């Protein structure tokens, strides 16, 4: 990861301030001083993140015959995490600075053996630090009642494989997808939401024959690239592949998709060949070998399916969308002694914008007919916000800051010509649209 340059810090400070000011993302438990690594998505952040999740679900599950969905519990049998290796091996090496008392991940020290905060070389020897979040299930808080908040959403997919396969009559090759919370006790949460302790994952495990697995790996690489470039409209120039050189012994290939964040290139998604590792581990630990295998009618033998995984973090994707959307340009102003002012505008694709169309009466007297317009848009599943506070210019600025692609203004002429003015966030062009064509006009424009 790149060093924190002043440019980077200034950009991130502006983005974090905007996110708080406009109710997109802010620290959890702020009135208690915040809680490091935990974030709340506010009234504008929740619809934004949910719409990215919905776009992923539609693209990965609903639009395909060979991928089905799961919504599993967050806490599952503690043995699941023994089998997956998380209880014994899911750890980072950490070191403490004896002088300033800060704790660091050894692999993230810019200069080995030196504290990045105070420059001291007085560091403790590296120690393993398990990232699993623990809790207790049942009435007694002792070792026998320890359970874990899941560290990744994919393990329940492996555990439920057979039940899902039988209930959906799926045959290999097919995938199971799930979105949901994951928890990791990260030593050093940082870069806003990039590395959090509670975050959302969106994962798909594709079960196939080993002989076809490399073809499926290539297929999913292309599909995932298309998701970012075609659905979320991230420019190709800001994405790149990062191949893993060190592979787990069971894996044939592993690649990450990286985005160019203001703080440097970093991972948003991993596409991993997991071999038969997960299924054979769960067979071993559960004793239910048949539930972890499929039957080959030709050879009359049961075998472990090979798994190709696509795994991404919704919060990292949201952060990528925020970084990519942020722009400062200039717009006309009515402020005294100025013709132009800086405008902050978020160029979100309409699909994920928290508000897709703001409905603005030119005067508070026009509330009733403007509310009628809002009803029409809501019935067409367009996310709207009604705003009649302040000058129309100020209202445009507020909508630009949350990335609203279209502002619909009802004015005094609307009473007579039955039309409204639609302003485009990106071009600031204005167009008069008849009210009876507005839903079609906006629906088309939102689909882009
Ligand atoms: N099942 C494989 C797996 O969990 P991972 O590379 O540990 O692989 C996959 O995580 C994705 O989850 C990452 O690419 C990232 O987008 C997201 N992710 C992982 N740790 C995260 C964290 N602490 N905060 C936010 N997102 C995280």
């Amino acid at each position: 990861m790149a060093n924190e340059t002043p440019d980077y810090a200034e950009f991130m400070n502006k983005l974090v301030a905007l996110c708080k000011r406009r109710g997109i993302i802010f620290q959890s438990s702020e009135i208690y001083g915040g809680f490091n690594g935990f974030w709340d998505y506010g009234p504008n952040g929740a619809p934004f993140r949910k719409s990215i999740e919905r776009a992923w679900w539609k693209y990965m599950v609903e639009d395909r015959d060979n991928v089905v969905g799961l919504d599993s519990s967050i806490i599952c049998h503690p043995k699941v995490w023994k089998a997956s290796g998380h209880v014994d091996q899911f750890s980072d090496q950490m070191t403490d600075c004896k002088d300033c008392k800060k704790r660091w991940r050894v692999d993230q020290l810019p200069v080995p053996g030196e504290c990045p905060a105070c420059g001291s070389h007085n560091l403790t020897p590296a120690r393993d630090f398990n990232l699993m979040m623990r809790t207790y299930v049942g009435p007694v808080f002792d070792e026998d009642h320890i359970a874990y908040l899941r560290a990744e959403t994919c393990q329940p997919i492996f555990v439920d494989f057979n039940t899902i396969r039988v209930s959906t009559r799926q045959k290999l090759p097919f995938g199971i997808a799930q979105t949901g919370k994951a928890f990791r006790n990260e030593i050093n949460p940082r870069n806003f939401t990039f590395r959090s302790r509670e975050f959302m994952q969106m994962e798909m495990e594709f079960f196939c024959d080993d002989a076809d697995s490399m073809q499926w790996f290539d297929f999913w690489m292309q599909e995932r690239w298309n998701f970012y470039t075609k659905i979320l409209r991230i420019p190709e120039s800001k994405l790149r592949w990062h191949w893993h050189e060190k592979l787990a012994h069971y894996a044939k290939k592993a690649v990450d998709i990286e985005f160019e964040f203001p703080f440097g290139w970093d991972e948003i998604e991993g596409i991993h060949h997991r071999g038969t590792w997960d299924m054979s581990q769960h067979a071993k630990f559960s004793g239910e070998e048949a539930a972890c295998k499929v039957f080959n009618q030709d050879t009359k033998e049961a075998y472990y399916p090979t798994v190709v995984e696509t795994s991404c973090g919704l919060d990292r994707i949201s952060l990528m969308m925020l970084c990519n959307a942020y722009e400062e340009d200039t717009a006309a102003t009515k402020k005294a002694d100025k013709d132009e002012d800086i405008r902050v505008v978020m160029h979100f694709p309409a699909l994920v914008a928290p508000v897709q169309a703001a409905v603005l009466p030119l005067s508070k007297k026009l509330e009733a007919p403007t509310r009628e317009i809002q009803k029409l848009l809501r019935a067409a599943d367009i996310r709207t916000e009604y705003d009649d506070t302040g000058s129309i210019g100020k209202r445009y600025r507020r909508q630009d800051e949350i990335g609203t692609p279209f502002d619909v203004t009802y004015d005094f002429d609307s009473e007579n010509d039955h039309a409204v003015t639609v302003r485009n966030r990106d071009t600031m062009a204005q167009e008069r649209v008849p009210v009876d064509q507005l839903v079609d006009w906006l629906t088309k424009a939102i689909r882009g």
Side-chain angles (χ1 to χ4, degrees):
M1 191 165 291
N3 288 332
E4 297 193 6
T5 63
D7 276 358
Y8 146 69
E10 194 189 319
F11 179 92
M12 290 309 287
N13 287 344
K14 281 186 189 172
L15 187 68
V16 172
L18 171 80
C19 283
K20 182 173 172 187
R21 185 166 75 245
R22 291 296 173 215
I24 300 173
I25 306 175
F26 36 84
Q27 271 223 312
S28 161
S29 319
E30 231 174 8
I31 62 167
Y32 290 94
F35 201 33
N36 200 9
F38 296 91
W39 298 93
D40 293 344
Y41 287 68
N44 286 316
F48 164 66
R49 186 169 67 163
K50 277 182 201 292
S51 61
I52 300 173
E53 185 185 0
R54 207 175 302 125
W56 184 92
W57 188 259
K58 176 168 161 46
Y59 184 79
M60 293 297 285
V61 182
E62 289 175 355
D63 289 353
R64 297 173 199 271
D65 291 326
N66 62 351
V67 179
V68 294
L70 172 68
D71 194 353
S72 78
S73 62
I74 285 174
I75 296 176
C76 44
H77 199 293
K79 268 195 185 171
V80 169
W81 303 105
K82 261 306 227 195
S84 67
H86 283 79
V87 171
D88 297 322
Q89 287 153 28
F90 191 50
S91 50
D92 283 334
Q93 288 222 308
M94 61 163 206
T95 177
D96 291 312
C97 174
K98 289 187 192 159
D99 292 329
C100 73
K101 313 290 177 218
K102 288 229 161 84
R103 178 166 290 173
W104 304 100
R105 253 171 72 170
V106 172
D107 64 338
Q108 285 175 353
L109 290 176
V111 180
E114 183 179 294
C115 172
C118 71
S120 165
H121 290 229
N122 198 7
L123 306 183
T124 60
R127 285 188 285 148
D128 278 339
F129 181 80
N130 193 282
L131 302 183
M132 292 292 285
M133 292 251 195
R134 284 174 170 208
T135 185
Y136 297 90
V137 173
V140 187
F141 282 21
D142 64 12
E143 287 285 312
D144 292 339
H145 292 81
I146 287 176
Y148 303 93
L149 307 191
R150 67 184 175 204
E152 54 181 11
T153 50
C154 63
Q155 290 304 326
I157 292 180
F158 303 128
V159 173
D160 290 345
F161 167 76
N162 198 46
T163 307
I164 294 171
R165 185 183 65 78
V166 172
S167 66
T168 55
R169 290 169 285 106
Q170 287 284 350
K171 292 196 169 59
L172 254 48
F174 77 99
I176 304 175
Q178 128 146 295
T179 68
K181 291 274 178 157
F183 302 82
R184 294 182 189 178
N185 200 2
E186 298 282 358
I187 297 167
N188 222 351
R190 66 203 171 114
N191 287 333
F192 199 11
T193 56
F194 183 85
R195 193 173 300 288
S196 308
R197 288 177 164 147
E198 173 180 336
F199 55 97
M200 292 280 294
Q201 276 192 322
M202 306 194 289
E203 299 197 290
M204 193 275 309
E205 309 301 315
F206 199 75
F207 299 87
C208 57
D209 282 336
D210 198 53
D212 306 330
S213 61
M214 299 313 265
Q215 264 159 292
W216 284 114
F217 190 97
D218 293 344
F219 172 83
W220 285 112
M221 274 179 70
Q222 190 57 53
E223 291 294 277
R224 298 306 304 145
W225 187 266
N226 291 349
F227 177 71
Y228 292 115
T229 54
K230 298 205 165 80
I231 310 281
L232 298 186
R233 310 220 176 152
I234 298 293
E236 300 227 353
S237 60
K238 296 193 114 189
L239 295 171
R240 72 178 187 192
W241 296 107
H242 171 78
W243 287 95
H244 291 211
E245 278 161 21
K246 245 175 74 188
L247 293 179
H249 64 91
Y250 49 83
K252 286 194 181 147
K253 254 183 178 181
V255 68
D256 295 336
I257 300 180
E258 293 188 339
F259 173 74
E260 190 177 19
F261 286 97
F263 42 84
W265 288 93
D266 219 325
E267 174 189 337
I268 47 166
E269 165 146 4
I271 298 158
H272 298 160
H273 187 288
R274 296 180 72 121
T276 56
W277 162 258
D278 302 279
M279 299 311 282
S280 55
Q281 282 293 103
H282 287 300
K284 195 163 117 194
F285 279 75
S286 68
E288 295 286 336
E289 197 177 281
C292 301
K293 284 185 164 175
V294 284
F295 194 71
N296 182 328
Q297 293 294 352
D298 298 332
T299 61
K300 304 287 178 225
E301 271 179 34
Y303 65 102
Y304 293 116
T306 290
V307 173
V308 173
E309 172 185 78
T310 73
S311 170
C312 57
L314 178 54
D315 305 271
R316 282 201 192 167
I317 296 175
S318 303
L319 181 60
M320 167 182 77
M321 300 295 285
L322 288 165
C323 293
N324 190 54
Y326 186 97
E327 194 191 34
E328 289 174 11
D329 64 8
T330 49
T333 179
K334 291 210 168 111
K335 278 188 193 160
D337 73 354
K338 271 189 183 172
D339 295 329
E340 285 191 328
D341 203 3
I342 289 184
R343 116 177 144 131
V344 172
V345 53
M346 299 298 279
H347 295 285
F348 293 134
L351 182 73
V352 306
V355 175
Q356 295 171 311
V359 284
L360 316 171
L362 193 62
S363 145
K364 285 191 176 169
K365 288 185 199 132
L366 297 172
E367 172 164 3
T370 311
R371 290 280 188 193
E372 288 303 312
I373 302 277
Q374 184 179 30
K375 257 195 224 162
L376 273 180
L377 303 190
R378 277 185 172 154
D381 284 335
I382 295 171
R383 287 190 291 278
T384 64
E385 182 174 88
Y386 174 89
D387 185 7
D388 63 7
T389 326
S391 71
I392 199 77
K394 272 208 180 117
R395 285 183 262 167
Y396 284 162
R397 284 305 92 76
R398 276 202 294 268
Q399 295 300 331
D400 288 343
E401 288 202 350
I402 60 167
T404 305
F406 304 105
D407 298 310
V408 176
T409 304
Y410 192 96
D411 56 29
F412 290 102
D413 289 339
S414 305
E415 302 279 85
N416 305 316
D417 69 358
H418 306 290
V420 286
T421 299
V422 182
R423 170 189 179 266
N424 181 307
R425 169 198 71 197
D426 296 336
T427 61
M428 291 189 264
Q430 304 200 0
E431 191 176 328
R432 202 76 185 154
V433 178
V435 170
D436 60 4
Q437 291 170 28
L438 183 64
V439 165
D440 281 354
W441 192 101
L442 280 173
T443 306
K444 222 187 262 164
I446 287 167
R447 287 204 190 120

